[in-house]
Amino acid sequence: MSSILIIVFLPLLAAIVAGLGNRALGNTVAKSITTGALFISCALSWPIFLSFVGGAGEAGVVDVLQWVRSGDMAFDWALRVDTLTAVMLVVITTVSALVHLYSWGYMDEDPDQPRFFAYLCLFTFAMLMLVTADNLVQMFFGWEGVGLASYLLIGFWFKKPSANAAAIKAFVVNRVGDLGFMLGIFGTFMVFGTVSIPEILAAAPGMAGSTVGFFGMRVDTMDLLCILLFIGAMGKSAQLGLHTWLPDAMEGPTPVSALIHAATMVTAGVFMVCRLSPMFEAAPTALALVTFIGAATCIFAATIGTTQWDIKRVIAYSTCSQLGYMFFAAGVGAYGVAMFHLFTHAFFKALLFLGAGSVIHSMHHEQDMRYYGGLRKEIPFTFWAMMAGTLAITGVGIYWLHAGFAGFHSKDAILEVAFARGTELSQVAFFLGAFAALLTSFYSWRLMFLTFWGKPRWAASEHIAHAVHDGHDEPEDHNPAKQEDAGDDVTHQVPSPAYGAGTGGYRPHESGLTMLIPLGVLSLGAVFAGYVFAEPFLNQPGFWGESIYYNEALIHEMHEVPLWVKLSASVVMLIGLFFAWLAYLKDTSIPGTFVKQFGLLHAFLFNKWYFDELYNTIFVRPAFWLGRKFWKVGDEGIIDRFGPNGAAWAVMRGSTVAKRVQSGFLNTYALVMLAGLVAAISWIMVR
């Protein structure tokens, strides 16, 4: 149990050393310290997790120090270790360690590598603090820590305006969600008189049905608290309404995308809901909201992913959709199933992001899939790794053999448990989830076909043309911050010979070992994680202990659903694969015909349901207008005018008058003195 201290604080120590040492340490030393720290944390995390899998793990709390003693509020800084924590430990440290190793190759020519690796370690520490929290304040500390670190990492290339804008957007949108989270924490303390998570969860069932005053109304206590807490989860996990920051986060380096989207920041909301599951079980309205938002996000993000050209944005919207699956699984009361999908998703989504990074690296940082094609023979290892990730996310498997890739076990379980729940809302979630699975298969295979099959379309890329013009296969400048963002192209067309054919003299190259080794390890997770760990996650109530609320009856009903429900995910996967093959391999004129026939629908989806434009009109522009008014009228027109500027004007005018009196002639001063003396004597005599 004492190893938890090393797991949590070693990344922090490495971040401090690499951050303060920076260039004085040198790139190699800084990278070695941070990467070594993460691999040590990873090596210590797996035995803890496997002990719970084997039934020998024991939950416990490790005290670090006394933290706050203020009136009725008192809590310590303590690290809680139970099954839920153990799952998150292996997810976070494994993906983070592999991302560190991958970054050795991807960021090799970046001039600020020590700063980058220090940020990665800081991010990991904040996430570890979040998942080991024993009280809500400590959880909020980690919650805000990952928000800060994500801001630093998304805006790492701070000379790139779009990266700065994306970092600010992520920070601001998350502050909106965090306001709800803070109010939820305040309300929880007001109701329960403590911020200790175990004490709150023990008392939560007794608060079911009680009411509390809120804005002059009487509302259900637990519903109010859980809805406020869930608003925080919506921001952190990019659910519908607070999702707009997630695609723009692609402006950061690709390893950052993998770290944020696969295992850490975006899964924090799912973890929080599962950690506080006894509270949510006492709040039926809040659970219904979680189910609705999760199902809506699931289908919403999947529709957008079918139209995007930027390879990283497609995977980003895929992340948003998969998080929707996790939330509606939690919303129907299957918290173990939600965590199982979180676990498997970490492997195949990190694999897809890092695989996409390898493709981008080989294509001179070209991110537009319209300029790919025919890469499977040029970068075969990356191709097979991404193939494993695609087979995992689309849920390929054979039901009768109970064998398949990671997503086959976890995503199918979510659909089955939603159907088994039997409520009207859970049935809607099931059908929306099934349709989203069809779209997931379509856009995932679309990505694969555009990237690895067909004829090369490299010659039309400005990035490739730049590489060929310079006469080398390696990019002249490995920093993508200095490259034009191909993902901003809004041409509503599809790959065709019009985009150019041939290689233009450029030959893509496979990435180095430091980038390929993480791909290989994550491929193993994408292939085997679901099969190996399905039994403890789904079928062993003792595995979870008291770390989450486990509805054993619901899990039993999940296994008893009709056969067509069990096969539905596989059927829609095949349908999505067929349509992707038909449109992007068999007859490539189909997408263009579809766009001509359904131009408005395509534009609606391509422009992300116009959420950014809507928010810009409702919130951003009025905020800027109000800010300018406060600046010009309030600050400059009133405060400065009658404050410092007014005082300065009065002093200046007074000095002008005084200057006229100061003539410099002795007789003038004598006359003034005499007049003053006469006035003083006259005043005394009058008195």
Side-chain angles (χ1 to χ4, degrees), residues 287-305:
L287 274 183
L289 178 65
V290 174
T291 305
F292 173 78
I293 294 295
T297 304
C298 181
I299 191 69
F300 157 78
T303 60
I304 298 175

Side-chain angles (χ1 to χ4, degrees), residues 295-316:
T297 304
C298 181
I299 191 69
F300 157 78
T303 60
I304 298 175
T306 60
T307 62
Q308 301 302 301
W309 295 118
D310 187 312
I311 186 171
K312 288 172 64 177
R313 287 180 184 268
V314 173
I315 303 174

Side-chain angles (χ1 to χ4, degrees), residues 87 91 262 322 326 337-351 392-393 405-411 414 522 525-531 533-534 537:
V87 171
V91 166
Q322 297 303 309
M326 299 175 205
V337 178
M339 287 303 302
F340 185 38
H341 194 52
L342 185 155
F343 179 78
T344 60
H345 173 265
F347 292 104
F348 62 72
K349 188 51 60 68
L351 175 60
I393 192 174
F405 292 82
F408 169 77
H409 295 277
S410 59
K411 187 164 67 175
I414 290 177
L522 290 170
V527 175
F528 297 111
Y531 178 78
F533 295 106
F537 273 86

Side-chain angles (χ1 to χ4, degrees), residues 3 32 38 83 96 102 118 139 150 152 155 169 200 203 217 256 299 450 461 509 526 564 568 602 655:
S3 61
S32 299
L38 262 298
T83 307
S96 185
Y102 181 92
M139 181 182 288
S150 68
L152 297 174
K169 187 176 183 179
I200 293 170
M217 302 177 292
V256 173
I299 191 69
L450 285 174
S461 168
H509 54 87
W564 70 267
S568 59
H602 180 270
S655 64

